[in-house]
Each structure stands twice: as structure tokens, then as C-alpha cells.
Amino acid sequence: MPEMPEVDALVGFLRERATGAVVADIQVASISVLKTFDPPLTAFAGLVVTDVTRHGKFIDLDVDGLHLVIHLAKAGWLRWSDRISDARLRMGNGPIALRVRLDAGDGPTLGFDLTEAGTRKGLAVYAVRDPMDVPGIAALGPDPLAPGFTIEPLLAGRRMQIKRLLRDQSTVAGIGNAYSDEILHAAKLSPFAIAADLSADEVTRLELAVHDVLTEALREAHGKAAGELKDNKRSRMRVHGRAGEACPVCGDTIAEVVFADSSLQYCPTCQTGGKPLKDRSTSKFLK
């Protein structure tokens, strides 16, 4: 799943290429992707893209005051083209869910396709007049890299495992499965630690790890073409997705806990005092 650093890089990529272009049309090829009906997608045609911004893991194209908001979910992606096809999309034909065609003046029509792999469809597009009309944006917690962000108040009284709290978008916006693994490894914290029980030193380590891991990820992701971001993210992971490999800090074998629809990776020596975590194979822990 694309998380805050990759989404932020996609936003920068789109802002550079799409701002100032006129929407030629927006075509839908998946019946499940569009979550709204007013304004209709036809209302965007002929309007100018004035900005592209991010809200958590949402991409927001401001089109003369209307907003096309995109959430890539677990298996969605954005595929940019400097010469996008003029052929009309056919409903349900292939992985393309939606196409945005842009007229930048001289030259060929630009644009992007939204694609989604697999059968579990989570990719979502909203056409709204205000980004806050998107329920997921309205419910977002604070951005962890916003000025003045501090994590301590978000932990108080929360009898929730810290891994789950970091992924809860209503608590902290933009962190998902991969970067929560990376943050907890950097902070030397067990993913099963209870948020409210963290010591002052552990809270300090966690806050520093959130800042450092995400700041470094943003720096590495920015400037990359959309097609390079997935591989770039994988190459930077220290524990996430690396079960069975050596921890780059201590050399211990990275361990894994598997759930019904996800998994987490951690270093027993760095994070759990050498003790393996139980494999709680249930979707209750991670949603």
C-alpha cells in the first residue's frame, strides 16, 4: 500500500506535470471506483488543474474549485503518460479503473490511469466540492510531519497496541503497515506494546523515530518518477518485508507475525528482548 512518503512524492510529481493543464475528460472503467455522484465527472471537463495536495494518504487534485480525490488503497497505483491514449476505456476491461486526460496546450494529450491489481477492490475516487466532504479525510488525525506535531497526547489512555495505533488514520494520518514496522524498529519498541503503558523514554524514542523515518523516506521518494516509487520503497525497508533476513542493526533474524490479511516484521533482539511474538492469526489486531 502506498503510504504518506510515496503519496507525497506522487503529489509532487502530479503538481509539476498537471498544474495549469485543462481536464479533457475523465473516464471510468470500474463500477466500484467512483464513490460519489455530485458533481458528475463531466463537470471537470474544460476546467484547469490549479493545485495538487495531500491529506494523509489521499491525493487531492484541485480543478478550479472542484476536487478529484484519490485513495490508492492496498493495490492501487497511478500510471502517468506524456502521451495518453485517445481510445475510450471499456467498462471492466483490464486493470485500469479510471483515466484522466489533460490538455496542456501544445503537444499530445497528457494524463494518468489509476490501476488496481487483484480481486479485492479498494481503490476509491471522489468528486467533491470540498475535500472535507470525503469521510476518510474528515476523520483524519494530525499529520506526523506537520509543525508542532507531538505523539505523547495521542497515547494517553489508549489501551491499544502501538502498531495498531500508528496505523489508525484517525489518530495519525498517513502511516501504514510498512512504515509502522520501520518506525517501531527504529524506536526499539515491540509492535504489541500498549500505547498508554510506554515510559517517558519510550515515548521520546517513538516520537524521534516517527520524525526521522518519515523525513528520510520523504527525502528518498521525492523526485522519483511514479513508476520508480514502489521499488524505491522496497529497497529502503530495514525490517518490513524482510522476514528471515539479518537485522541491519544487530544481525538477529527478522521475525514475522502473520494475520488474516496482513503481516508485520520485527527484530526480536532490538524490539522484544529476544522473545518471539505470538502469531495471533486473526483480523482483530490489524484491520
Side-chain angles (χ1 to χ4, degrees):
M1 176 185 291
E3 299 178 37
M4 184 248 276
E6 293 74 47
V7 173
D8 205 76
L10 282 173
V11 164
F13 180 87
L14 285 174
R15 185 185 296 123
E16 180 180 334
R17 289 161 178 79
T19 301
V22 175
V23 175
D25 60 29
I26 302 174
Q27 304 173 28
V28 176
S30 168
I31 196 168
S32 65
V33 69
L34 186 62
K35 306 303 182 184
T36 56
F37 62 90
D38 182 39
L41 292 180
T42 53
F44 288 79
L47 302 182
V48 177
V49 178
T50 55
D51 199 5
V52 187
T53 55
R54 177 182 63 81
H55 313 275
K57 291 185 275 188
F58 291 85
I59 299 169
D60 175 11
L61 280 82
D62 187 335
V63 186
D64 273 345
L66 296 182
H67 294 262
L68 190 72
V69 177
I70 300 163
H71 192 281
L72 295 170
K74 191 170 186 177
W77 196 244
L78 185 151
R79 193 168 64 195
W80 175 266
S81 175
D82 289 328
R83 186 186 292 269
I84 201 154
S85 173
D86 291 328
R88 298 291 301 180
L89 293 179
R90 295 171 59 188
M91 188 66 71
N93 186 31
I96 300 176
L98 182 139
R99 172 171 290 164
V100 176
R101 298 173 65 248
L102 302 169
D103 182 358
D106 297 336
T109 303
L110 314 171
F112 60 87
D113 290 331
L114 297 180
T115 63
E116 186 168 29
T119 57
R120 295 184 63 180
K121 301 303 182 185
L123 176 67
V125 175
Y126 306 81
V128 293
R129 293 178 176 84
D130 185 332
M132 294 303 288
D133 292 337
V134 178
I137 292 179
L140 285 175
D143 191 293
L145 292 183
F149 174 84
T150 179
I151 202 165
E152 185 173 8
L154 308 178
L155 308 178
R158 302 295 296 274
R159 306 300 303 173
M160 178 187 289
Q161 291 167 337
I162 191 62
K163 165 82 174 180
R164 185 176 176 187
L165 182 141
L166 288 174
R167 292 186 61 192
D168 179 5
Q169 298 303 294
S170 65
T171 301
V172 185
I175 300 173
N177 194 34
Y179 286 107
S180 57
D181 280 352
E182 297 297 297
I183 287 165
L184 292 172
H185 178 254
K188 300 187 182 299
L189 291 174
S190 167
F192 288 177
I194 300 301
D197 293 343
L198 297 183
S199 68
D201 178 62
E202 289 172 330
V203 171
T204 298
R205 297 203 312 264
L206 178 60
E207 185 151 328
L208 185 63
V210 167
H211 178 272
D212 289 353
V213 168
L214 295 180
T215 299
E216 180 183 359
L218 278 174
R219 183 171 58 247
E220 290 291 331
H222 268 270
K224 301 286 191 302
E228 300 174 7
L229 287 170
K230 287 183 182 179
D231 288 342
N232 176 262
K233 177 182 178 181
R234 291 190 195 101
S235 71
R236 290 186 281 101
M237 297 291 105
R238 295 162 72 85
V239 292
H240 182 76
R242 299 197 180 278
E245 299 181 23
C247 170
V249 174
C250 71
D252 194 4
T253 301
I254 295 168
E256 181 174 46
V257 179
V258 178
F259 303 98
D261 58 359
S262 64
S263 63
L264 66 83
Q265 290 80 42
Y266 68 99
C267 171
T269 295
C270 292
Q271 296 175 252
T272 62
K275 298 177 182 178
L277 297 175
K278 273 191 176 182
D279 190 335
R280 307 177 186 184
S281 297
T282 169
S283 60
K284 194 173 182 181
F285 171 64
L286 294 180
K287 295 182 180 178

Short mmCIF file of all heavy atoms in Angstrom, two decimals, residues 113-176:
data_model
loop_
_atom_site.label_atom_id
_atom_site.label_comp_id
_atom_site.label_asym_id
_atom_site.label_seq_id
_atom_site.Cartn_x
_atom_site.Cartn_y
_atom_site.Cartn_z
N ASP A 113 -3.57 7.01 -15.69
CA ASP A 113 -4.52 5.94 -15.40
C ASP A 113 -4.38 5.56 -13.93
O ASP A 113 -3.27 5.52 -13.39
CB ASP A 113 -4.22 4.70 -16.25
CG ASP A 113 -4.53 4.91 -17.72
OD1 ASP A 113 -5.42 5.72 -18.03
OD2 ASP A 113 -3.86 4.26 -18.56
N LEU A 114 -5.49 5.24 -13.31
CA LEU A 114 -5.49 4.61 -12.00
C LEU A 114 -5.72 3.13 -12.21
O LEU A 114 -6.70 2.73 -12.87
CB LEU A 114 -6.58 5.20 -11.11
CG LEU A 114 -6.45 6.69 -10.77
CD1 LEU A 114 -7.61 7.13 -9.88
CD2 LEU A 114 -5.12 7.00 -10.11
N THR A 115 -4.83 2.30 -11.70
CA THR A 115 -4.94 0.86 -11.89
C THR A 115 -5.06 0.18 -10.53
O THR A 115 -4.67 0.74 -9.50
CB THR A 115 -3.72 0.31 -12.64
OG1 THR A 115 -2.54 0.52 -11.83
CG2 THR A 115 -3.53 1.00 -13.97
N GLU A 116 -5.57 -1.04 -10.55
CA GLU A 116 -5.67 -1.81 -9.31
C GLU A 116 -5.53 -3.29 -9.62
O GLU A 116 -6.24 -3.83 -10.48
CB GLU A 116 -7.00 -1.55 -8.61
CG GLU A 116 -7.10 -2.21 -7.25
CD GLU A 116 -8.27 -1.72 -6.43
OE1 GLU A 116 -9.29 -1.33 -7.03
OE2 GLU A 116 -8.17 -1.72 -5.19
N ALA A 117 -4.59 -3.92 -8.93
CA ALA A 117 -4.35 -5.35 -9.12
C ALA A 117 -5.23 -6.15 -8.16
O ALA A 117 -5.67 -5.66 -7.12
CB ALA A 117 -2.88 -5.66 -8.86
N GLY A 118 -5.46 -7.41 -8.53
CA GLY A 118 -6.17 -8.32 -7.64
C GLY A 118 -7.68 -8.19 -7.71
O GLY A 118 -8.24 -7.36 -8.43
N THR A 119 -8.34 -9.01 -6.91
CA THR A 119 -9.81 -9.05 -6.93
C THR A 119 -10.44 -8.25 -5.80
O THR A 119 -11.63 -7.94 -5.86
CB THR A 119 -10.29 -10.50 -6.83
OG1 THR A 119 -9.75 -11.11 -5.64
CG2 THR A 119 -9.84 -11.30 -8.05
N ARG A 120 -9.68 -7.94 -4.75
CA ARG A 120 -10.21 -7.15 -3.64
C ARG A 120 -10.05 -5.67 -3.99
O ARG A 120 -8.95 -5.13 -3.99
CB ARG A 120 -9.48 -7.47 -2.34
CG ARG A 120 -9.70 -8.90 -1.87
CD ARG A 120 -9.04 -9.15 -0.54
NE ARG A 120 -9.62 -8.31 0.51
CZ ARG A 120 -9.22 -8.34 1.78
NH1 ARG A 120 -8.25 -9.17 2.14
NH2 ARG A 120 -9.78 -7.56 2.67
N LYS A 121 -11.16 -5.02 -4.29
CA LYS A 121 -11.11 -3.66 -4.80
C LYS A 121 -11.26 -2.63 -3.67
O LYS A 121 -12.26 -2.60 -2.97
CB LYS A 121 -12.22 -3.46 -5.83
CG LYS A 121 -12.14 -4.42 -7.02
CD LYS A 121 -10.80 -4.32 -7.75
CE LYS A 121 -10.72 -5.23 -8.95
NZ LYS A 121 -9.39 -5.23 -9.59
N GLY A 122 -10.22 -1.80 -3.52
CA GLY A 122 -10.26 -0.75 -2.50
C GLY A 122 -9.99 0.64 -3.06
O GLY A 122 -10.22 1.64 -2.38
N LEU A 123 -9.45 0.70 -4.28
CA LEU A 123 -9.18 1.99 -4.93
C LEU A 123 -10.44 2.84 -4.93
O LEU A 123 -11.52 2.36 -5.29
CB LEU A 123 -8.70 1.74 -6.36
CG LEU A 123 -8.46 2.95 -7.26
CD1 LEU A 123 -7.29 3.77 -6.76
CD2 LEU A 123 -8.20 2.49 -8.70
N ALA A 124 -10.32 4.10 -4.53
CA ALA A 124 -11.50 4.96 -4.40
C ALA A 124 -11.23 6.35 -4.97
O ALA A 124 -10.16 6.93 -4.74
CB ALA A 124 -11.91 5.08 -2.94
N VAL A 125 -12.22 6.88 -5.71
CA VAL A 125 -12.14 8.22 -6.28
C VAL A 125 -13.40 8.97 -5.87
O VAL A 125 -14.51 8.43 -5.94
CB VAL A 125 -12.01 8.18 -7.81
CG1 VAL A 125 -12.05 9.59 -8.39
CG2 VAL A 125 -10.71 7.48 -8.21
N TYR A 126 -13.21 10.22 -5.45
CA TYR A 126 -14.32 11.07 -5.01
C TYR A 126 -14.29 12.36 -5.81
O TYR A 126 -13.24 13.01 -5.91
CB TYR A 126 -14.18 11.41 -3.52
CG TYR A 126 -14.04 10.22 -2.61
CD1 TYR A 126 -12.81 9.60 -2.43
CD2 TYR A 126 -15.13 9.73 -1.89
CE1 TYR A 126 -12.66 8.51 -1.58
CE2 TYR A 126 -15.00 8.64 -1.03
CZ TYR A 126 -13.77 8.04 -0.89
OH TYR A 126 -13.62 6.96 -0.04
N ALA A 127 -15.41 12.76 -6.37
CA ALA A 127 -15.56 14.07 -7.00
C ALA A 127 -16.39 14.92 -6.05
O ALA A 127 -17.57 14.64 -5.81
CB ALA A 127 -16.27 13.93 -8.35
N VAL A 128 -15.75 15.95 -5.46
CA VAL A 128 -16.40 16.73 -4.41
C VAL A 128 -16.09 18.22 -4.60
O VAL A 128 -15.19 18.60 -5.34
CB VAL A 128 -15.92 16.29 -3.00
CG1 VAL A 128 -16.40 14.88 -2.69
CG2 VAL A 128 -14.40 16.37 -2.89
N ARG A 129 -16.86 19.04 -3.88
CA ARG A 129 -16.62 20.49 -3.90
C ARG A 129 -15.68 20.92 -2.78
O ARG A 129 -15.12 22.01 -2.84
CB ARG A 129 -17.96 21.23 -3.81
CG ARG A 129 -18.84 21.02 -5.03
CD ARG A 129 -20.19 21.71 -4.92
NE ARG A 129 -20.95 21.54 -6.17
CZ ARG A 129 -21.68 20.46 -6.45
NH1 ARG A 129 -21.76 19.47 -5.56
NH2 ARG A 129 -22.33 20.37 -7.60
N ASP A 130 -15.55 20.07 -1.78
CA ASP A 130 -14.68 20.36 -0.64
C ASP A 130 -14.05 19.04 -0.20
O ASP A 130 -14.78 18.05 -0.02
CB ASP A 130 -15.51 20.95 0.50
CG ASP A 130 -14.67 21.39 1.69
OD1 ASP A 130 -13.59 20.81 1.91
OD2 ASP A 130 -15.09 22.32 2.40
N PRO A 131 -12.72 18.97 -0.05
CA PRO A 131 -12.09 17.71 0.37
C PRO A 131 -12.67 17.16 1.67
O PRO A 131 -12.68 15.94 1.87
CB PRO A 131 -10.61 18.10 0.55
CG PRO A 131 -10.43 19.31 -0.28
CD PRO A 131 -11.73 20.04 -0.28
N MET A 132 -13.18 18.04 2.54
CA MET A 132 -13.74 17.57 3.80
C MET A 132 -15.05 16.82 3.60
O MET A 132 -15.58 16.22 4.53
CB MET A 132 -13.94 18.74 4.75
CG MET A 132 -12.65 19.41 5.19
SD MET A 132 -11.48 18.26 6.00
CE MET A 132 -12.34 18.01 7.56
N ASP A 133 -15.59 16.84 2.38
CA ASP A 133 -16.77 16.03 2.07
C ASP A 133 -16.42 14.54 1.92
O ASP A 133 -17.33 13.70 1.85
CB ASP A 133 -17.44 16.52 0.79
CG ASP A 133 -18.08 17.89 0.95
OD1 ASP A 133 -18.39 18.28 2.09
OD2 ASP A 133 -18.26 18.58 -0.08
N VAL A 134 -15.13 14.23 1.84
CA VAL A 134 -14.68 12.84 1.79
C VAL A 134 -14.59 12.33 3.22
O VAL A 134 -13.81 12.86 4.02
CB VAL A 134 -13.32 12.72 1.09
CG1 VAL A 134 -12.83 11.27 1.09
CG2 VAL A 134 -13.40 13.26 -0.34
N PRO A 135 -15.37 11.33 3.60
CA PRO A 135 -15.39 10.88 5.01
C PRO A 135 -14.01 10.54 5.55
O PRO A 135 -13.69 10.86 6.70
CB PRO A 135 -16.31 9.65 4.97
CG PRO A 135 -17.21 9.89 3.81
CD PRO A 135 -16.37 10.60 2.78
N GLY A 136 -13.18 9.87 4.74
CA GLY A 136 -11.85 9.49 5.22
C GLY A 136 -10.97 10.68 5.52
O GLY A 136 -10.13 10.63 6.44
N ILE A 137 -11.12 11.77 4.78
CA ILE A 137 -10.34 12.98 5.04
C ILE A 137 -10.87 13.70 6.28
O ILE A 137 -10.10 14.17 7.13
CB ILE A 137 -10.34 13.91 3.82
CG1 ILE A 137 -9.55 13.27 2.67
CG2 ILE A 137 -9.75 15.29 4.16
CD1 ILE A 137 -9.51 14.09 1.39
N ALA A 138 -12.19 13.78 6.40
CA ALA A 138 -12.80 14.45 7.55
C ALA A 138 -12.40 13.78 8.86
O ALA A 138 -12.33 14.45 9.91
CB ALA A 138 -14.32 14.46 7.40
N ALA A 139 -12.13 12.48 8.82
CA ALA A 139 -11.81 11.74 10.04
C ALA A 139 -10.32 11.66 10.34
O ALA A 139 -9.93 11.07 11.36
CB ALA A 139 -12.38 10.32 9.93
N LEU A 140 -9.47 12.23 9.48
CA LEU A 140 -8.02 12.08 9.66
C LEU A 140 -7.52 12.73 10.95
O LEU A 140 -7.95 13.81 11.34
CB LEU A 140 -7.28 12.70 8.48
CG LEU A 140 -7.26 11.95 7.16
CD1 LEU A 140 -6.58 12.77 6.09
CD2 LEU A 140 -6.61 10.58 7.30
N GLY A 141 -6.55 12.06 11.57
CA GLY A 141 -5.81 12.65 12.66
C GLY A 141 -4.74 13.59 12.14
O GLY A 141 -4.65 13.85 10.94
N PRO A 142 -3.87 14.08 13.02
CA PRO A 142 -2.84 15.03 12.59
C PRO A 142 -1.78 14.37 11.71
O PRO A 142 -1.53 13.17 11.80
CB PRO A 142 -2.22 15.50 13.92
CG PRO A 142 -2.52 14.40 14.89
CD PRO A 142 -3.84 13.83 14.48
N ASP A 143 -1.17 15.19 10.86
CA ASP A 143 -0.08 14.73 10.01
C ASP A 143 1.18 14.66 10.87
O ASP A 143 1.54 15.63 11.54
CB ASP A 143 0.13 15.70 8.85
CG ASP A 143 1.07 15.13 7.80
OD1 ASP A 143 2.27 14.96 8.12
OD2 ASP A 143 0.62 14.88 6.68
N PRO A 144 1.90 13.53 10.87
CA PRO A 144 3.05 13.38 11.75
C PRO A 144 4.24 14.26 11.43
O PRO A 144 5.15 14.39 12.26
CB PRO A 144 3.42 11.90 11.61
CG PRO A 144 2.85 11.50 10.29
CD PRO A 144 1.60 12.30 10.11
N LEU A 145 4.25 14.88 10.26
CA LEU A 145 5.34 15.80 9.93
C LEU A 145 4.88 17.25 9.91
O LEU A 145 5.64 18.14 9.49
CB LEU A 145 5.96 15.43 8.57
CG LEU A 145 6.72 14.09 8.55
CD1 LEU A 145 7.36 13.87 7.19
CD2 LEU A 145 7.77 14.02 9.65
N ALA A 146 3.68 17.50 10.39
CA ALA A 146 3.20 18.89 10.49
C ALA A 146 3.95 19.61 11.60
O ALA A 146 4.33 19.01 12.61
CB ALA A 146 1.70 18.91 10.77
N PRO A 147 4.19 20.92 11.45
CA PRO A 147 4.85 21.68 12.52
C PRO A 147 4.09 21.54 13.84
O PRO A 147 2.86 21.62 13.87
CB PRO A 147 4.79 23.13 12.00
CG PRO A 147 4.67 23.00 10.52
CD PRO A 147 3.86 21.75 10.27
N GLY A 148 4.82 21.31 14.90
CA GLY A 148 4.22 21.22 16.22
C GLY A 148 3.65 19.85 16.57
O GLY A 148 3.12 19.66 17.67
N PHE A 149 3.77 18.88 15.65
CA PHE A 149 3.23 17.55 15.95
C PHE A 149 3.98 16.93 17.13
O PHE A 149 5.20 16.95 17.20
CB PHE A 149 3.35 16.63 14.74
CG PHE A 149 2.96 15.19 15.04
CD1 PHE A 149 1.63 14.81 15.00
CD2 PHE A 149 3.92 14.25 15.37
CE1 PHE A 149 1.26 13.51 15.27
CE2 PHE A 149 3.56 12.93 15.65
CZ PHE A 149 2.24 12.56 15.60
N THR A 150 3.24 16.34 18.05
CA THR A 150 3.82 15.56 19.13
C THR A 150 2.94 14.36 19.37
O THR A 150 1.71 14.45 19.32
CB THR A 150 3.99 16.39 20.42
OG1 THR A 150 4.56 15.57 21.43
CG2 THR A 150 2.66 16.96 20.91
N ILE A 151 3.54 13.22 19.62
CA ILE A 151 2.76 11.99 19.70
C ILE A 151 2.25 11.69 21.11
O ILE A 151 1.27 10.95 21.28
CB ILE A 151 3.58 10.79 19.17
CG1 ILE A 151 2.63 9.66 18.74
CG2 ILE A 151 4.60 10.31 20.20
CD1 ILE A 151 3.28 8.61 17.88
N GLU A 152 2.88 12.27 22.14
CA GLU A 152 2.53 11.91 23.51
C GLU A 152 1.04 12.06 23.82
O GLU A 152 0.44 11.15 24.41
CB GLU A 152 3.36 12.73 24.50
CG GLU A 152 3.13 12.32 25.95
CD GLU A 152 4.08 13.02 26.90
OE1 GLU A 152 4.81 13.92 26.46
OE2 GLU A 152 4.09 12.65 28.09
N PRO A 153 0.37 13.17 23.44
CA PRO A 153 -1.05 13.29 23.76
C PRO A 153 -1.92 12.23 23.08
O PRO A 153 -3.02 11.93 23.57
CB PRO A 153 -1.42 14.69 23.24
CG PRO A 153 -0.13 15.42 23.11
CD PRO A 153 0.88 14.38 22.78
N LEU A 154 -1.45 11.66 21.99
CA LEU A 154 -2.22 10.66 21.26
C LEU A 154 -2.16 9.29 21.92
O LEU A 154 -2.96 8.40 21.61
CB LEU A 154 -1.72 10.55 19.82
CG LEU A 154 -1.63 11.85 19.03
CD1 LEU A 154 -1.07 11.58 17.64
CD2 LEU A 154 -2.99 12.52 18.95
N LEU A 155 -1.22 9.11 22.84
CA LEU A 155 -1.03 7.83 23.51
C LEU A 155 -1.78 7.74 24.83
O LEU A 155 -2.11 6.63 25.28
CB LEU A 155 0.46 7.58 23.78
CG LEU A 155 1.43 7.73 22.59
CD1 LEU A 155 2.86 7.51 23.05
CD2 LEU A 155 1.07 6.76 21.47
N ALA A 156 -2.04 8.87 25.44
CA ALA A 156 -2.61 8.89 26.79
C ALA A 156 -3.95 8.15 26.84
O ALA A 156 -4.87 8.43 26.08
CB ALA A 156 -2.81 10.33 27.25
N GLY A 157 -4.01 7.18 27.74
CA GLY A 157 -5.25 6.44 27.95
C GLY A 157 -5.60 5.45 26.86
O GLY A 157 -6.68 4.84 26.93
N ARG A 158 -4.73 5.26 25.88
CA ARG A 158 -5.06 4.37 24.76
C ARG A 158 -4.58 2.95 25.06
O ARG A 158 -3.40 2.66 24.98
CB ARG A 158 -4.43 4.88 23.46
CG ARG A 158 -4.84 6.29 23.06
CD ARG A 158 -6.29 6.40 22.73
NE ARG A 158 -6.69 5.61 21.58
CZ ARG A 158 -6.61 6.04 20.33
NH1 ARG A 158 -6.13 7.25 20.05
NH2 ARG A 158 -7.01 5.25 19.33
N ARG A 159 -5.53 2.09 25.39
CA ARG A 159 -5.20 0.69 25.66
C ARG A 159 -5.20 -0.08 24.33
O ARG A 159 -5.99 -0.99 24.10
CB ARG A 159 -6.22 0.07 26.63
CG ARG A 159 -6.42 0.81 27.93
CD ARG A 159 -5.14 0.92 28.73
NE ARG A 159 -4.56 -0.38 29.02
CZ ARG A 159 -3.38 -0.53 29.60
NH1 ARG A 159 -2.65 0.53 29.94
NH2 ARG A 159 -2.90 -1.75 29.84
N MET A 160 -4.30 0.32 23.48
CA MET A 160 -4.21 -0.21 22.12
C MET A 160 -2.76 -0.54 21.82
O MET A 160 -1.86 0.18 22.26
CB MET A 160 -4.73 0.85 21.13
CG MET A 160 -4.66 0.46 19.67
SD MET A 160 -5.09 1.84 18.56
CE MET A 160 -6.83 1.99 18.87
N GLN A 161 -2.54 -1.63 21.11
CA GLN A 161 -1.17 -1.96 20.71
C GLN A 161 -0.62 -0.86 19.82
O GLN A 161 -1.31 -0.32 18.97
CB GLN A 161 -1.15 -3.31 19.99
CG GLN A 161 -1.46 -4.47 20.95
CD GLN A 161 -1.75 -5.75 20.22
OE1 GLN A 161 -2.14 -5.73 19.06
NE2 GLN A 161 -1.59 -6.87 20.92
N ILE A 162 0.65 -0.52 20.03
CA ILE A 162 1.23 0.65 19.39
C ILE A 162 1.28 0.50 17.87
O ILE A 162 1.11 1.48 17.14
CB ILE A 162 2.64 0.94 19.96
CG1 ILE A 162 3.14 2.30 19.49
CG2 ILE A 162 3.61 -0.17 19.65
CD1 ILE A 162 2.30 3.47 19.95
N LYS A 163 1.46 -0.70 17.37
CA LYS A 163 1.43 -0.92 15.92
C LYS A 163 0.07 -0.52 15.35
O LYS A 163 -0.02 0.18 14.33
CB LYS A 163 1.72 -2.39 15.63
CG LYS A 163 1.39 -2.86 14.22
CD LYS A 163 2.44 -2.53 13.22
CE LYS A 163 2.12 -3.17 11.87
NZ LYS A 163 3.12 -2.89 10.85
N ARG A 164 -0.98 -0.96 16.01
CA ARG A 164 -2.34 -0.63 15.54
C ARG A 164 -2.61 0.86 15.65
O ARG A 164 -3.24 1.46 14.76
CB ARG A 164 -3.36 -1.43 16.33
CG ARG A 164 -4.79 -1.26 15.83
CD ARG A 164 -5.73 -2.14 16.61
NE ARG A 164 -7.11 -1.91 16.20
CZ ARG A 164 -8.16 -2.45 16.80
NH1 ARG A 164 -7.97 -3.26 17.84
NH2 ARG A 164 -9.38 -2.20 16.39
N LEU A 165 -2.13 1.49 16.72
CA LEU A 165 -2.36 2.92 16.88
C LEU A 165 -1.69 3.72 15.77
O LEU A 165 -2.29 4.65 15.22
CB LEU A 165 -1.86 3.38 18.25
CG LEU A 165 -2.08 4.87 18.58
CD1 LEU A 165 -2.47 5.04 20.04
CD2 LEU A 165 -0.84 5.69 18.28
N LEU A 166 -0.47 3.35 15.43
CA LEU A 166 0.23 4.09 14.37
C LEU A 166 -0.48 3.97 13.03
O LEU A 166 -0.41 4.89 12.21
CB LEU A 166 1.67 3.57 14.24
CG LEU A 166 2.64 3.94 15.36
CD1 LEU A 166 3.97 3.23 15.15
CD2 LEU A 166 2.84 5.44 15.47
N ARG A 167 -1.17 2.86 12.81
CA ARG A 167 -1.88 2.65 11.54
C ARG A 167 -3.28 3.24 11.55
O ARG A 167 -3.92 3.28 10.49
CB ARG A 167 -1.96 1.15 11.24
CG ARG A 167 -0.63 0.51 10.93
CD ARG A 167 -0.83 -0.92 10.50
NE ARG A 167 -1.65 -1.00 9.28
CZ ARG A 167 -2.17 -2.13 8.82
NH1 ARG A 167 -2.00 -3.27 9.47
NH2 ARG A 167 -2.89 -2.13 7.71
N ASP A 168 -3.76 3.64 12.70
CA ASP A 168 -5.12 4.19 12.80
C ASP A 168 -5.13 5.61 12.23
O ASP A 168 -4.58 6.54 12.83
CB ASP A 168 -5.55 4.20 14.27
CG ASP A 168 -6.93 4.78 14.49
OD1 ASP A 168 -7.62 5.09 13.49
OD2 ASP A 168 -7.33 4.94 15.66
N GLN A 169 -5.76 5.79 11.07
CA GLN A 169 -5.72 7.08 10.38
C GLN A 169 -6.43 8.19 11.14
O GLN A 169 -6.14 9.37 10.94
CB GLN A 169 -6.31 6.94 8.98
CG GLN A 169 -5.56 5.97 8.09
CD GLN A 169 -4.10 6.33 7.94
OE1 GLN A 169 -3.77 7.37 7.36
NE2 GLN A 169 -3.20 5.51 8.46
N SER A 170 -7.34 7.84 12.04
CA SER A 170 -8.00 8.87 12.84
C SER A 170 -7.11 9.33 13.99
O SER A 170 -7.39 10.36 14.63
CB SER A 170 -9.33 8.35 13.39
OG SER A 170 -9.13 7.29 14.31
N THR A 171 -6.02 8.61 14.26
CA THR A 171 -5.07 9.00 15.30
C THR A 171 -3.88 9.72 14.68
O THR A 171 -3.51 10.82 15.12
CB THR A 171 -4.58 7.77 16.08
OG1 THR A 171 -5.70 7.11 16.68
CG2 THR A 171 -3.60 8.18 17.18
N VAL A 172 -3.27 9.11 13.67
CA VAL A 172 -2.14 9.71 12.96
C VAL A 172 -2.36 9.48 11.47
O VAL A 172 -2.62 8.35 11.05
CB VAL A 172 -0.79 9.08 13.37
CG1 VAL A 172 0.37 9.80 12.71
CG2 VAL A 172 -0.61 9.08 14.87
N ALA A 173 -2.26 10.50 10.67
CA ALA A 173 -2.57 10.39 9.24
C ALA A 173 -1.35 9.98 8.43
O ALA A 173 -0.28 10.57 8.58
CB ALA A 173 -3.11 11.72 8.71
N GLY A 174 -1.51 8.96 7.60
CA GLY A 174 -0.51 8.68 6.58
C GLY A 174 0.40 7.49 6.81
O GLY A 174 1.09 7.07 5.89
N ILE A 175 0.43 6.94 8.03
CA ILE A 175 1.31 5.81 8.32
C ILE A 175 0.54 4.51 8.10
O ILE A 175 -0.60 4.38 8.54
CB ILE A 175 1.84 5.87 9.77
CG1 ILE A 175 2.63 7.15 9.99
CG2 ILE A 175 2.71 4.66 10.08
CD1 ILE A 175 3.05 7.38 11.44
N GLY A 176 1.16 3.56 7.42
CA GLY A 176 0.54 2.27 7.17
C GLY A 176 1.37 1.13 7.72
O GLY A 176 2.19 1.30 8.62
#
